[in-house]
Amino acid sequence: MGMKHYPAEFKADAVALYRSRSGATIKSVAADLGVNTETLRNWIRAADGRRPGAHSTQPAAARTGGDDVQAELAAARKRIRELEEERDILRKAARYFANGDALVNRYQFVEDHQRRHGVKRLCDILGLSRSSFYYWRRTAAARAARRAVEAGIAARIRKAHQESDGTYGAPRITAELRDEGGQVINHKRVARITRTIGLEGVRLRPRHRTTLADQAAAKAPDLICRDFTASAVNTKYVGDITYLPVRGAKPLYLATVIDLASRRLAGWAIADHMRAELVIDALTAAEKTRGNLTGAVIHTDHGSQYTSRSFAEICRSAGVRQSMGAIGSSADNAAAESFNAAFKRETLKGRKGWSSEREARLEAFRWLTRYNTRRRHSRLGQRSPISYENALQPAPTTLTQAA
């Protein structure tokens, strides 16, 4: 079910996603998005101002036949060899920086590859001072001793944290260690090691509400009754809103429309607000994906966006019947809640938020598109939603685009 016509925003987001992923190939990004490799390559060329299908060329050097030209060619070849060697070195170094570009990773890379490339060459490429590298090497034994001590402290921290059922943070763990061993241990050191090994105590955090019910608004009947299955595609959908936390800034909001038969994300939209336009854009995207939604059911919670007059009007014009569960019951929209949880778990991966709005949008774009095209779903026999639909009844559709 590939699409024939891609919206301009989809092309721009695809190019931005490719450029934001260091080391990614056009083929891998195209596979994630479910598009042809050459199609994505042409989008990138178009964004660079080059004619699709053209190959970049370099002007031919003038043939003077003199010694100066030969010298210049020899110098150019030498520079090319140096650049190729630098490229190879940086590719090897990238493996050392998988967990962050820390100085210790750079020093270790120089230590491991100095015989082949030389300390000076490696330090120049990695932006290191040779004197700093030699100091790091001289102090290796002392660092190893400190690491051994801290490994022992880390084991005791894990034990104390486990025995508290994961509720103790650094202050209480520090007290436990002091009582246990009778020795003075700095609380800052305990806090640092605790963070390093990824432990933290239980903290009550305010829940970010995305469902704000309008008590005066008209309510739709429950046509789903917690039966989150469907015998055919384009008959039953669930819709919901979740927030995308951005560090140091206001969050974004994601509205989704999910087909209960194939679990396909038929429509979605992202915005920096929770007005009714957000859910209208998501439903409009679903209508474009399916061609029409006549006779389908859309089940949601009682959020003011879904009970608004404007959303009811767009449902009527699309031939969609509205359905709503009980107020305050997440179980009445469990399929949408489960999707939201998987999305955040697999994109944030334990982080508390994205570093910027751009990062949040690009990661959401990649995951949401990949969810349809590649992510295997247990309810679908470990097939992706689009693969599942292709097996049911191959028919041309278009991929959804965020508003």
Side-chain angles (χ1 to χ4, degrees):
M1 286 190 182
M3 64 179 167
K4 297 179 180 178
H5 304 289
Y6 295 83
E9 274 191 62
F10 186 94
K11 297 178 182 179
D13 283 345
V15 173
L17 177 64
Y18 166 73
R19 290 174 172 167
S20 70
R21 297 179 64 201
S22 176
T25 63
I26 293 177
K27 182 177 180 181
S28 65
V29 174
D32 280 349
L33 300 181
V35 302
N36 183 272
T37 301
E38 282 304 313
T39 298
L40 178 57
R41 194 188 308 279
N42 285 335
W43 293 347
I44 295 170
R45 287 170 175 157
D48 291 337
R50 290 183 281 146
R51 180 171 59 84
H55 297 280
S56 60
T57 60
Q58 297 178 348
R63 298 181 177 178
T64 63
D67 293 339
D68 291 343
V69 173
Q70 294 301 320
E72 289 178 3
L73 288 175
R77 292 190 187 99
K78 179 180 178 182
R79 181 55 182 158
I80 290 172
R81 287 194 299 271
E82 290 175 349
L83 290 174
E84 288 176 343
E85 181 186 40
E86 182 174 330
R87 177 201 61 193
D88 293 340
I89 289 172
L90 290 174
R91 282 180 176 173
K92 293 175 183 176
R95 293 194 291 270
Y96 283 68
F97 305 150
N99 296 320
D101 188 10
L103 273 177
V104 64
N105 295 331
R106 300 191 193 190
Y107 291 144
Q108 190 61 56
F109 180 80
V110 175
E111 175 73 12
D112 294 344
H113 296 82
Q114 59 177 319
R115 289 189 176 181
R116 178 172 182 180
H117 301 288
V119 172
K120 183 179 184 302
R121 177 75 168 141
L122 293 173
C123 286
D124 287 345
I125 292 175
L126 299 180
L128 297 174
S129 164
R130 278 183 287 167
S131 60
S132 297
F133 165 72
Y134 288 127
Y135 173 80
W136 174 85
R137 191 163 63 179
R138 284 197 310 272
T139 57
R143 287 197 309 276
R146 283 197 302 272
R147 285 197 297 268
V149 171
E150 294 200 347
I153 296 175
R156 294 166 62 195
I157 288 174
R158 287 192 180 92
K159 180 182 178 183
H161 187 264
Q162 182 179 11
E163 290 177 349
S164 71
D165 292 330
T167 60
Y168 279 6
R172 288 194 175 96
I173 290 176
T174 301
E176 284 286 321
L177 299 188
R178 287 173 177 173
D179 289 345
E180 168 193 296
Q183 66 183 95
V184 177
I185 184 168
N186 188 281
H187 69 281
K188 292 183 180 179
R189 190 180 199 184
V190 173
R192 175 176 56 80
I193 297 174
T194 301
R195 287 194 302 271
T196 301
I197 62 179
L199 297 181
E200 64 177 6
V202 171
R203 290 180 293 175
L204 296 177
R205 297 173 182 167
R207 184 178 178 183
H208 195 107
R209 295 183 63 194
T210 54
T211 302
L212 302 174
D214 184 353
Q215 302 298 330
K219 306 298 188 295
D222 187 351
L223 304 178
I224 296 293
C225 298
R226 299 189 181 182
D227 178 14
F228 299 109
T229 61
S231 57
V233 298
N234 199 24
T235 57
K236 291 167 67 176
Y237 294 90
V238 290
D240 198 13
I241 300 175
T242 190
Y243 79 105
L244 280 59
V246 178
R247 292 196 294 271
K250 60 184 292 189
L252 298 174
Y253 297 91
L254 168 67
T256 54
V257 177
I258 303 168
D259 192 312
L260 288 177
S262 64
R263 289 306 196 269
R264 180 175 182 171
L265 181 60
W268 56 278
I270 296 177
D272 59 357
H273 61 79
M274 286 199 300
R275 297 190 296 273
E277 298 98 285
L278 176 64
V279 296
I280 290 173
D281 288 343
L283 187 63
T284 300
E287 187 176 25
K288 290 179 180 178
T289 298
R290 292 308 191 190
N292 72 80
L293 298 174
T294 303
V297 172
I298 177 73
H299 182 79
T300 66
D301 57 30
H302 287 263
S304 59
Q305 303 85 354
Y306 295 110
T307 58
S308 66
R309 181 178 300 175
S310 56
F311 185 72
E313 289 174 355
I314 198 69
C315 286
R316 281 195 295 272
S317 66
V320 174
R321 293 180 294 162
Q322 282 188 265
S323 170
M324 295 180 184
I327 294 178
S329 174
S330 59
D332 280 0
N333 204 14
E337 296 282 354
S338 176
F339 175 91
N340 291 339
F343 165 73
K344 288 186 177 179
R345 182 175 62 251
E346 296 181 15
T347 53
L348 286 172
K349 297 179 181 177
R351 295 176 295 168
K352 296 178 182 177
W354 284 277
S355 61
S356 66
E357 177 179 326
R358 181 176 185 274
E359 181 190 26
R361 285 182 180 273
L362 286 177
E363 288 198 17
F365 170 72
R366 177 178 182 269
W367 191 93
L368 296 171
T369 306
R370 192 176 187 277
Y371 170 88
N372 277 337
T373 60
R374 296 190 64 182
R375 185 182 182 277
R376 297 180 185 276
H377 203 296
S378 59
R379 284 181 172 270
L380 307 178
Q382 298 301 341
R383 287 176 287 182
S384 70
I386 287 181
S387 295
Y388 180 81
E389 289 189 3
N390 285 340
L392 289 178
Q393 48 175 26
T397 61
T398 57
L399 288 176
T400 183
Q401 168 60 24

